[in-house]
Amino acid sequence: MRNMAYAEALREAILNEMRRDPAVFLLGEDIGRFGGTFGVTRGLIDEFGEDRVKDTPISETAITGVSIGAAATGMRPVAELMFVDFVTVAMDQLVNQAAKMRYMFGGKITIPMVLRMPAGAGIQAAAQHSQSLEAWFTHVPGLKVVYPSTPKDALGLMISAIRDDNPVVFVEHKVLYSMKGDVPDTNEPIPLGVADIKREGSDVTVVATGLMVHKALKAAEILSKEGIEVEVIDPRTLFPLDKEKIFNSLKKTHKIVIVTEEVKRGSWGGELAALIAEEMFDYLDAQIVRIGALNTPIPFTTVLENVVIPNEEDIIKAVRAIA
């Protein structure tokens, strides 16, 4: 096992695939000599040069459009948008082109591209640089959506995302970039659509994404001292979704809490809750509980930001209420 930070694990995966496949190349704002806003691509230009590590103008529209065209003609672009919030100006390319081209061409072309997007709050980047917009992407047929919470998952899922023949939105929580964890000595892909049980338990199932996985694990340790054993599941890919693993956990615990950093209204967490209500209602011994951010733009100040974003105490209260 190796110990590395989340950002280092992403770089390791990208490096692995660039060495393995000459069709893989990178593009985005300041990803070359600067190494990316969060340092993920640092040093890659030294090995692969400007032909395969391309600094772009400040245009998310161009970054996404070039990626689609390159993917359609046989390349495997890995594009970085500096913040997930900026995808708003490239939604036509992503939603109406990348997501639909393979279908509209009858499968005669593929769009093997990865769109990396730093997301989430916690670094005081304010309302236009701190959102969690993953539900937008899961709503669109033709897109796959990945959201790893650990360095191990980031490495393995990035390898799979780059090798996938479909457009993959790869969400990376900004607070996680510096978080360290154990990573296998060999760089092996983790299949998309396979959830991971981060902690086994028998009393309440907690499904969490991104940074919330770590908050759920901390909450579970506190609750364990009270005799409440929480099972924490990280879906890892929001679509395709491993609902079987979540459903099997619910058959055991009969209670579920869904924790995401998104604004609760219209969230991916709401979609999961609806799915459980439709298909697993008879297994529920308590109401489905959803935890999300408050219905407000993300504030700049640390104190207010912490109020808006879910925390361990929110999870503890929710579990206690149904356990």
Side-chain angles (χ1 to χ4, degrees):
M1 282 287 187
R2 300 166 288 172
N3 189 267
M4 62 175 62
Y6 187 97
E8 293 173 322
L10 289 169
R11 185 187 310 116
E12 177 77 10
I14 295 169
L15 176 66
N16 184 90
E17 293 307 290
M18 292 184 78
R19 287 174 175 171
R20 173 181 172 273
D21 186 350
V24 178
F25 75 99
L26 313 182
L27 68 161
E29 299 166 24
D30 294 331
I31 66 162
R33 294 297 173 196
F34 186 68
T37 304
F38 298 98
V40 172
T41 56
R42 187 173 296 132
L44 294 179
I45 195 170
D46 296 329
E47 178 169 346
F48 300 104
E50 295 181 359
D51 285 344
R52 295 184 66 192
V53 182
K54 295 182 176 294
D55 281 319
T56 68
I58 303 175
S59 174
E60 288 73 24
T61 306
I63 294 167
T64 308
V66 167
S67 297
I68 296 166
T73 54
M75 301 298 287
R76 290 186 175 271
V78 180
E80 177 182 313
L81 302 188
M82 198 173 284
F83 293 91
V84 69
D85 317 69
F86 301 164
V87 74
T88 51
V89 298
M91 287 298 272
D92 178 64
Q93 282 80 1
L94 182 61
V95 172
N96 288 327
Q97 307 303 328
K100 296 175 173 59
M101 286 179 72
R102 187 173 187 178
Y103 173 82
M104 295 181 73
F105 279 82
K108 293 180 180 179
I109 64 169
T110 57
I111 309 294
M113 59 175 280
V114 178
L115 200 56
R116 296 182 44 241
M117 300 189 197
I123 64 167
Q124 293 75 60
Q128 295 174 328
H129 302 77
S130 303
Q131 296 173 89
S132 295
L133 302 175
E134 51 269 25
W136 289 4
F137 313 121
T138 59
H139 183 71
V140 181
L143 298 179
K144 296 185 178 183
V145 185
V146 179
Y147 198 176
S149 67
T150 66
K152 174 185 174 182
D153 292 344
L155 194 156
L157 290 168
M158 177 59 77
I159 291 174
S160 290
I162 294 173
R163 294 181 187 180
D164 201 286
D165 283 337
N166 300 283
V168 179
V169 173
F170 204 97
V171 183
E172 305 161 8
H173 198 290
K174 297 188 284 290
V175 171
L176 293 178
Y177 281 127
S178 60
M179 186 173 290
K180 292 192 173 184
D182 288 336
V183 172
D185 291 328
T186 56
N187 295 336
E188 298 295 334
I190 294 174
L192 305 187
V194 179
D196 189 36
I197 299 175
K198 298 299 187 188
R199 184 186 192 278
E200 294 190 353
S202 56
D203 297 320
V204 179
T205 299
V206 173
V207 177
T209 61
L211 180 62
M212 294 299 117
V213 172
H214 300 277
K215 294 188 178 184
L217 289 170
K218 290 178 182 178
E221 290 303 312
I222 294 170
L223 288 162
S224 181
K225 296 175 183 177
E226 302 174 13
I228 302 172
E229 294 301 330
V230 173
E231 183 148 290
V232 178
I233 298 180
D234 178 3
R236 300 196 292 194
T237 56
L238 308 186
F239 186 84
L241 175 65
D242 184 0
K243 68 178 185 179
E244 182 179 356
K245 196 162 287 181
I246 296 170
F247 286 1
N248 286 339
S249 178
L250 188 55
K251 288 176 182 178
K252 176 174 60 175
T253 67
H254 304 285
K255 305 176 185 72
I256 191 162
V257 176
I258 301 166
V259 190
T260 67
E261 194 176 307
E262 320 157 273
V263 171
K264 191 173 175 181
R265 181 183 66 196
S267 66
W268 175 87
E271 171 64 20
L272 178 58
L275 188 65
I276 292 167
E278 287 176 346
E279 300 188 27
M280 295 293 291
F281 183 80
D282 290 342
Y283 289 93
L284 292 169
D285 287 346
Q287 73 273 23
I288 301 167
V289 179
R290 288 190 296 138
I291 299 173
L294 300 182
N295 184 29
T296 180
I298 304 298
F300 171 72
T301 63
T302 304
V303 173
L304 292 178
E305 187 179 47
N306 289 339
V307 170
V308 170
I309 301 303
N311 57 39
E312 292 89 342
E313 188 59 35
D314 296 327
I315 300 170
I316 291 168
K317 289 179 180 177
V319 171
R320 284 174 179 161
I322 61 173

